[in-house]
Amino acid sequence: MRIGIGLPTRAEHIAGDTLLEWARRADAGPFSSLAVSDRVVSDAQEPIVALASVIGVTRRIGLLTSVVLAPTRETTLLARQAASLDALSAGRFTLGVAIGAREDDYAATGQRFHRRGRRLDEQLASLRRIWSGEPYLGVGLIGPSPSRRGGPELLVGGYVSTVARRIASWGDGFMAPGGGEPKAMSALWDEIVSAWDAAGRRGRPRWVSGSYYALGAHADDAADAYITANYGHDPKVAERRRRTLPATPDAVREAIARQRDLGVDELILRPCAPDDAHFAGLAEIVAGL
């Protein structure tokens, strides 16, 4: 199992130089991917822009959205952004998409919250059509051409059975952003593999999972502050997120081992703060695996 690290784009008042240095160090190893998350009603950096900013200081590491809230976005622009990132990074980009659970993100973008699943279905089909290089809606070609034929790697996230159908029809794999119970995630994965096989897809879908983590002398304080800032609107969700968040080296190793035992291909660990203790601590753990 490979280990990726989150780019701390949701940290308050994060400086551009900090993100670039984080990306440089991640590219030097031992991490497989550099990941960003998405919210609209938030103080966080925009994920597509953040990944574009680090392309020039990275050469090896994968670039991953975990995840973009696709139904809050205009589909043609999202297709072009993803294809551009893929082309400019020489094929290192993976687009992870999901629908999200916050109504305010949809209110802010003028999209219908209760139609977001149907909109994602439409978008997935459109993304593949645009990336194929075929004329779109009778208008013409929409570029640029991505590095990989058929478009960037496309992962679909979520916690319901509909995800299996979406992956079998349009995706390359499963994005489990985090927060799901292991037994439920394992059962959903079985549905995904069954739908994949039933659709006649070759090979095996990829499974990418995620978790927050905190390390260093102030790990608990960082974890408390991050979860409160991002999940404080729902105390039950916040409590569950905080309870399962590893905040010691041993807890991080145990979290990695659990994901490996589930059969996850890549685990993204997202820091609760952008300080060196989080980066260096995780790098030491991963290097020792």
Side-chain angles (χ1 to χ4, degrees):
M1 185 179 72
R2 296 183 295 170
I3 307 294
I5 189 169
L7 190 66
T9 53
R10 293 174 77 165
E12 292 186 4
H13 311 300
I14 189 76
D17 287 347
T18 300
L19 291 182
L20 293 178
E21 182 59 24
W22 192 280
R24 287 190 191 96
R25 295 175 68 186
D27 192 56
F31 302 109
S32 55
S33 294
L34 193 62
V36 292
S37 59
D38 191 17
R39 277 293 315 281
V40 179
V41 183
S42 169
D43 210 18
Q45 300 295 324
E46 200 285 321
I48 299 292
V49 172
L51 285 184
S53 73
V54 304
I55 286 178
V57 298
T58 59
R59 294 291 181 271
R60 173 198 63 84
I61 199 165
L63 305 173
L64 170 69
T65 59
S66 174
V67 291
V68 159
L69 303 178
T72 68
R73 295 167 179 257
E74 196 279 319
T75 307
T76 304
L77 178 58
L78 177 60
R80 294 180 64 210
Q81 289 172 323
S84 296
L85 279 175
D86 187 60
L88 292 172
S89 67
R92 290 186 286 133
F93 177 63
T94 293
L95 178 65
V97 299
I99 62 175
R102 296 287 295 272
E103 290 193 44
D104 53 358
D105 288 332
Y106 286 84
T109 54
Q111 299 294 336
R112 295 165 58 187
F113 178 75
H114 295 292
R115 196 185 178 279
R116 67 197 192 281
R118 282 173 288 175
R119 177 166 167 76
L120 180 60
D121 287 335
E122 296 164 358
Q123 289 182 299
L124 292 173
S126 294
L127 289 173
R128 286 302 191 196
R129 192 175 304 119
I130 291 169
W131 292 335
S132 73
E134 298 176 3
Y136 185 64
L137 298 180
V139 176
L141 301 180
I142 297 175
S145 298
S147 292
R148 197 179 79 155
R149 185 176 181 181
E153 181 181 49
L154 178 61
L155 306 181
V156 183
Y159 303 103
V160 296
S161 296
T162 310
V163 169
R165 173 183 57 76
R166 290 175 179 145
I167 293 170
S169 298
W170 307 110
D172 297 301
F174 178 41
M175 172 67 71
E181 295 296 330
K183 184 179 291 187
M185 290 294 96
S186 183
L188 180 54
W189 176 247
D190 288 342
E191 290 186 53
I192 291 167
V193 173
S194 295
W196 181 277
D197 292 340
R201 300 286 301 273
R202 294 183 179 181
R204 176 180 179 275
R206 196 157 83 91
W207 184 358
V208 178
S209 188
S211 173
Y212 298 112
Y213 79 95
L215 290 170
H218 305 290
D220 286 329
D221 291 340
D224 290 344
Y226 187 90
I227 295 301
T228 298
N230 290 282
Y231 297 97
H233 65 282
D234 189 328
K236 289 184 179 180
V237 172
E239 189 279 330
R240 184 171 67 249
R241 292 279 189 175
R242 181 63 184 91
R243 174 168 42 84
T244 59
L245 193 156
T248 67
D250 284 343
V252 170
R253 292 186 186 96
E254 289 171 6
I256 292 172
R258 283 194 300 271
Q259 295 295 311
R260 182 187 295 115
D261 290 345
L262 282 174
V264 169
D265 296 300
E266 184 174 20
L267 173 63
I268 306 299
L269 289 164
R270 304 184 187 90
C272 288
D275 57 65
D276 183 68
H278 282 68
F279 187 98
L282 184 61
E284 181 177 354
I285 291 169
V286 174
L289 294 177

